[in-house]
């Protein structure tokens, strides 16, 4: 087996593992919704083909499209796969390039990492702001919105850290 075929097979296996993990997570979420009183409908989402759920007198709910944990998982996996492929391609071909091109690529990668770190710092500032708002708030609905905002910011930082590393 050639090295390229071996690497492609490794990426394919990794993608299969990630699809299995996502499927397990979706199944777990579906089970949680059933325990919360949702019913499983005999139809699937047009976007992602996931089974639709519904609680009495509420709109349809698609775990694959609407659940924040699944969305976060998808973002993380897409970022990680893209990054690992990019790293693999760069590492395999970097030594074959003239030294001036190698330096340009290394500088670009370093600059990209600096931008990503700056983005993470901005999001951390947003979390600090939301935390201060939460400390001063006595309105339950606003508190819930702030907590959701903090959670989404944290999930974004987690996904970005996986991309950076």
């Amino acid at each position: 087996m050639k090295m390229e075929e071996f690497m492609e097979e490794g990426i394919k296996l990794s993608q299969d593992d990630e699809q299995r993990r996502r499927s397990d997570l979706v199944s777990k979420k579906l089970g949680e919704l059933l325990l919360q009183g949702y019913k499983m409908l005999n139809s699937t989402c047009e976007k992602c083909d996931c089974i639709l759920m519904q609680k009495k007198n509420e709109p349809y709910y698609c775990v694959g499209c609407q659940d924040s944990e699944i969305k976060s998982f998808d973002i993380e996996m897409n970022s990680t796969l893209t990054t690992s492929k990019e790293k693999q391609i760069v590492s395999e071909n970097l030594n074959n390039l003239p030294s001036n091109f190698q330096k340009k690529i290394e500088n670009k990668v370093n600059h990209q990492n600096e931008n990503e770190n700056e983005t993470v710092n901005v999001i951390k500032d947003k979390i600090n702001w939301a935390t201060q708002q939460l400390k001063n708030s006595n309105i339950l609905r606003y508190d819930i919105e702030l907590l959701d905002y903090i959670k989404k910011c944290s999930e974004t930082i987690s996904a970005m850290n996986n991309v950076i590393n």
Side-chain angles (χ1 to χ4, degrees):
M1 181 180 275
K2 292 182 182 177
M3 185 62 162
E4 292 99 15
E5 293 171 349
F6 182 74
M7 298 291 268
E8 286 176 16
E9 187 65 26
I11 290 171
K12 184 177 183 283
L13 289 174
S14 174
Q15 289 172 336
D16 289 345
D17 288 342
E18 298 310 326
Q19 288 172 343
R20 192 172 302 108
R21 284 181 50 211
R22 183 185 190 280
S23 177
D24 291 347
L25 186 58
V26 168
S27 296
K28 176 185 167 199
K29 290 292 182 176
L30 291 172
E32 289 172 2
L33 290 174
L34 286 169
L35 291 173
Q36 294 173 17
Y38 283 78
K39 64 179 178 179
M40 192 176 287
L41 302 177
N42 190 23
S43 56
T44 58
C45 175
E46 293 176 5
K47 291 180 186 175
C48 72
D49 207 35
C50 186
I51 296 171
L52 292 173
M53 305 291 285
Q54 186 179 30
K55 201 167 191 176
K56 193 170 188 172
N57 299 323
E58 289 186 15
Y60 294 163
Y61 183 78
C62 174
V63 171
C65 293
Q66 294 174 287
D67 186 84
S68 62
E69 192 174 346
I70 302 293
K71 284 182 188 178
S72 181
F73 180 87
D74 289 343
I75 291 168
E76 184 178 322
M77 288 307 103
N78 287 335
S79 299
T80 303
L81 290 173
T82 302
T83 305
S84 62
K85 287 179 188 175
E86 289 171 351
K87 286 179 182 176
Q88 174 190 340
I89 291 167
V90 168
S91 65
E92 288 175 355
N93 296 302
L94 189 60
N95 294 330
N96 299 332
L97 296 173
S99 61
N100 60 330
F101 286 118
Q102 288 179 11
K103 289 179 184 175
K104 284 182 181 180
I105 290 172
E106 288 170 357
N107 288 338
K108 187 172 183 176
V109 168
N110 289 336
H111 181 69
Q112 182 179 358
N113 286 342
E114 289 171 8
N115 287 341
E116 290 168 348
N117 287 330
E118 182 180 347
T119 301
V120 168
N121 288 333
V122 168
I123 296 169
K124 284 180 180 178
D125 290 342
K126 298 288 185 183
I127 290 173
N128 290 334
W129 169 84
T131 302
Q132 288 302 315
Q133 294 294 310
L134 190 59
K135 285 179 183 177
N136 299 325
S137 172
N138 293 322
I139 303 169
L140 181 61
R141 187 167 184 83
Y142 185 58
D143 291 352
I144 292 170
E145 289 177 11
L146 287 169
L147 290 168
D148 188 48
Y149 180 73
I150 291 169
K151 178 183 175 191
K152 288 179 181 175
C153 287
S154 298
E155 290 169 350
T156 302
I157 288 174
S158 177
M160 289 192 69
N161 284 335
N162 288 333
V163 171
I164 292 170
N165 299 327

